[in-house]
Amino acid sequence: MARIICDPQAVAERYGFVPNERLLFSAIRLDSFPFVTPLIFEDSGTEVMLARQQEQGNIVTGGGVDPERIRFYEPWVTIDPRPVADFPAAPNLPALVKELVGEGPVDLDPRAPYTHYLKLSGEVDVRVELPEAAPVRVYEIDQAAVLASFSGWRSSGIPVAQRLIAEVDHLAGLERELSADADTRFSALADVAEQLGVDAILLSSAPNYSEVTGTVWQPGAVALWAHGRVFAIAEQRVEGVEGALRGAYGSAAEAVTALATGPRLAFEEQWEHSSLGIRLTDAGVVLVSASRALGSWRDERDAEDLPFQLIAARASTTAIEQTVAWAHEHLDAGEAFTENELYARYLEFLARFRTEHEIPFDVEPYFTNLHSSQRMLFPGPPTDFRIDETTTCVQLDAGVKVVIDGVVVATSDMARSVLRTPEGREAYEMLTRAVREAIIPQLRPGVVCEDVHAQTLEHLATIRPRMREIGLLGDEVDFDAEYRKRNVGHLMGKQESFANELRPGYRFVLREGSYGAAEIPWRYDRHAIGVEDLWYIGAERTYNLTLREQ
């Protein structure tokens, strides 16, 4: 029988790359990387990788995998159709699996995220063989201790953030908004429960687990919120779980059903294993998809972690812009280097920033999109591809994470580009103005996310004729139709938000304290241009956190 394997280690062993290292979106989605990680399909001696097309460049040009061994789904959004012309993509994973198995059954790996099981069940005869359940222990979390930990961390972060912005004129006033004590992480869970109509919430992914326990997530551990109480449920092999021991159960499903106070449970469908979802539904639990709702729960509390967001933003803008300047300087001198060598410079500048500013927290790479447009137009991590006098454009779109005791307390996401052609530099200037003059000025309390996208498209319509004149746009696609499929920014926090984007269909209303990124990627022909700035809606105005020119 056909089967689908969900195992990053198997991908590494069979295809020669580690998904979280080689694939950009697996690295970005801290709360849902199982959802975007490639799968392996086997049937009667045939094997192919099933992957989202957004990773085509990283798998083919970066990972060196033979295209004949891959089947893509979820078509990539592009204004240049040529990179995907020879790589058909199914509209979604269920459609692709249906194409592969026809009317036959398919055995789904029990480790696959529950969302795959839900969606495949509507298209094919999907079967899951449940493994033996692991016994667990239950610990009750001291919420006051968690709040005290985060408050203490913020207290130590405030003077660092104040130092970083003290000499930045356009951020004047922002220091008055730094606070250590405001914290709604637990009270806001009651709002999530009411919104979803659930009795309890299972927090399985790494960011959400850390949010309610104040500790690092470990495989085999989940957290449960049930009517104001918070529990950690961990397999017996998991060590170092903090909290008061409240009992032991034969499985996580047994523990959840015993502790939850009703049948409806919010469930992270993009992270949690299908096996747990099936066991819970077999026990009569009604699962309510909550990956997006819990992402929004984090996003909406952005202002509470402002000290760390400022640290992340200023680290990013300093390291990235120094890297871009270094690249121009050495290319102007006739030198050549690889993408990986340029990445090494970025890491040096990041480490130097932390040392020079005496930052007492870890400031680590979160994700890195660094590539020459000669290699590919897709976003992705660096390789040993050569950058030299023939290079037209290099994009550096990257984020850092601020980490304390292993817990991610803030992340960043911004982009700059190395343009080496006159037309590329002109396009870069137009796109930079679009981000700073057409997107960020819209961002204020009461504005709806999707409305920002609509107004941005109106602005882009004014520059499209010039883009065509300089060879940065063709007539191959319906620009507006294609660009409506992607965002022009998103909220930010403990990771890039996939819950609240500046994109059609996203109705989140911006408010004071919202923090995010505004971006316009422009990938066409010989140029893969990225411009992205981080913004924060303050009490007095909206700040551009990654602007250094003023």
Side-chain angles (χ1 to χ4, degrees):
M1 183 172 74
R3 68 170 183 155
I4 295 174
I5 301 169
C6 181
D7 182 2
Q9 184 174 345
V11 172
E13 292 171 352
R14 301 188 192 189
Y15 295 90
F17 68 89
V18 178
N20 278 16
E21 295 176 358
R22 185 72 264 147
L23 303 186
L24 182 65
F25 292 92
S26 292
I28 289 175
R29 299 186 72 138
L30 300 179
D31 68 353
S32 54
F33 69 78
F35 173 57
V36 295
T37 297
L39 305 164
I40 299 174
F41 176 83
E42 295 180 337
D43 188 19
S44 303
T46 299
E47 177 195 301
V48 292
M49 179 195 298
L50 312 183
R52 294 162 68 99
Q53 195 175 38
Q54 62 192 10
E55 300 286 13
Q56 175 185 308
N58 299 318
I59 295 174
V60 177
T61 73
V65 179
D66 182 349
E68 296 297 320
R69 302 180 66 196
I70 314 165
R71 293 295 303 274
F72 292 108
Y73 64 94
E74 296 283 356
W76 185 52
V77 178
T78 175
I79 58 173
D80 189 336
R82 289 169 291 187
V84 297
D86 298 324
F87 296 87
N92 50 52
L93 178 63
L96 177 55
V97 174
K98 175 72 172 177
E99 180 184 336
L100 291 169
V101 303
E103 298 303 317
V106 61
D107 184 6
L108 179 66
D109 193 322
R111 296 167 295 182
Y114 188 61
T115 188
H116 286 343
Y117 173 77
L118 288 177
K119 294 179 179 180
L120 288 171
S121 295
E123 294 293 332
V124 298
D125 177 11
V126 59
R127 304 174 184 181
V128 179
E129 183 176 345
L130 299 181
E132 182 178 350
V136 300
R137 296 188 181 96
V138 173
Y139 307 81
E140 185 160 6
I141 302 300
D142 182 346
Q143 297 176 46
V146 174
L147 294 175
S149 291
F150 279 94
S151 178
W153 292 339
R154 293 191 194 108
S155 294
S156 61
I158 287 175
V160 179
Q162 288 172 332
R163 289 201 312 268
L164 291 177
I165 65 176
E167 304 301 323
V168 185
D169 291 343
H170 68 276
L171 297 182
L174 195 50
E175 72 280 356
R176 293 191 292 272
E177 303 194 27
L178 300 173
S179 170
D181 298 325
D183 200 320
T184 60
R185 73 187 62 242
F186 294 118
S187 59
L189 283 174
D191 297 332
V192 174
E194 182 178 359
Q195 168 198 341
L196 297 178
V198 298
D199 305 292
I201 301 171
L202 194 66
L203 301 108
S204 300
S205 66
N208 291 334
Y209 181 89
S210 291
E211 283 289 277
V212 295
T213 67
T215 60
V216 180
W217 172 82
Q218 299 182 69
V222 296
L224 179 72
W225 177 92
H227 282 277
R229 300 176 71 186
V230 177
F231 304 93
I233 302 170
E235 294 178 7
Q236 291 184 0
R237 62 180 175 81
V238 178
E239 299 180 353
V241 179
E242 297 184 9
L245 185 63
R246 294 296 187 229
Y249 295 86
S251 69
E254 288 182 19
V256 170
T257 54
L259 296 167
T261 53
R264 291 178 58 82
L265 177 71
F267 194 79
E268 289 192 70
E269 79 285 357
Q270 294 183 0
W271 174 282
E272 189 55 79
H273 290 175
S274 293
S275 56
L276 180 57
I278 293 170
R279 281 197 169 98
L280 287 169
T281 56
D282 286 348
V285 177
V286 178
L287 300 183
V288 178
S289 295
S291 285
R292 183 168 172 178
L294 289 172
S296 190
W297 165 69
R298 297 194 312 270
D299 294 342
E300 293 178 21
R301 297 180 291 104
D302 288 340
E304 297 172 3
D305 291 307
L306 182 58
F308 301 121
Q309 292 159 358
L310 287 176
I311 294 168
R314 301 311 291 176
S316 278
T317 193
T318 302
I320 288 177
E321 293 190 355
Q322 287 178 340
T323 304
V324 168
W326 185 94
H328 278 299
E329 176 186 351
H330 287 262
L331 289 171
D332 288 346
E335 299 177 25
F337 44 87
T338 67
E339 294 172 353
N340 276 328
E341 288 170 334
L342 187 60
Y343 179 53
R345 292 289 177 267
Y346 165 71
L347 294 180
E348 288 178 11
F349 289 129
L350 188 60
R352 186 182 303 172
F353 175 88
R354 184 190 176 199
T355 300
E356 290 179 350
H357 293 281
E358 300 178 338
I359 296 175
F361 321 116
D362 292 332
V363 181
E364 305 171 356
Y366 162 35
F367 71 91
T368 306
N369 167 24
L370 191 165
H371 64 96
S372 166
S373 57
Q374 264 84 342
R375 177 166 68 88
M376 66 178 185
L377 293 184
F378 289 85
T383 68
D384 283 328
F385 189 84
R386 180 182 171 91
I387 298 170
D388 56 24
E389 73 280 356
T390 67
T391 298
T392 55
C393 174
V394 180
Q395 182 182 99
L396 176 49
D397 178 350
V400 304
K401 54 187 178 183
V402 179
V403 182
I404 304 177
D405 294 344
V407 175
V408 176
V409 293
T411 59
S412 63
D413 177 10
M414 64 164 286
R416 299 289 186 262
S417 301
V418 179
L419 277 307
R420 303 295 294 174
T421 66
E423 65 273 20
R425 286 191 288 270
E426 182 179 351
Y428 189 45
E429 290 174 2
M430 286 190 285
L431 296 173
T432 299
R433 287 196 301 271
V435 166
R436 296 178 180 173
E437 299 174 13
I439 300 180
I440 292 179
Q442 296 184 58
L443 307 175
R444 57 188 183 276
V447 172
V448 179
C449 282
E450 67 175 359
D451 293 343
V452 177
H453 191 282
Q455 291 190 41
T456 303
L457 279 185
E458 291 179 8
H459 176 82
L460 292 179
T462 67
I463 69 172
R464 275 159 40 195
R466 182 57 183 164
M467 287 291 198
R468 290 191 178 93
E469 289 176 5
I470 61 178
L472 267 292
L473 184 64
D475 297 316
E476 304 94 332
V477 299
D478 181 334
F479 181 92
D480 283 348
E482 197 68 15
Y483 230 82
R484 286 191 189 101
K485 299 175 186 176
R486 65 148 296 123
N487 67 50
V488 295
H490 47 78
L491 266 62
M492 201 75 200
K494 305 301 167 65
Q495 69 165 60
E496 176 178 336
S497 177
F498 294 90
N500 297 302
E501 303 179 41
L502 306 180
R503 177 180 178 182
Y506 286 71
R507 300 290 301 166
F508 180 78
V509 179
L510 299 175
R511 61 191 67 173
E512 182 182 322
S514 292
Y515 161 65
E519 65 176 322
I520 298 182
W522 197 280
R523 302 170 179 278
Y524 190 84
D525 195 18
R526 300 184 304 145
H527 297 85
I529 303 174
V531 181
E532 185 171 18
D533 276 319
L534 287 165
W535 48 267
Y536 176 80
I537 300 178
E540 299 177 356
R541 64 185 185 277
T542 298
Y543 299 86
N544 185 330
L545 303 182
T546 45
L547 188 64
R548 297 179 74 226
E549 289 76 14
Q550 294 184 2

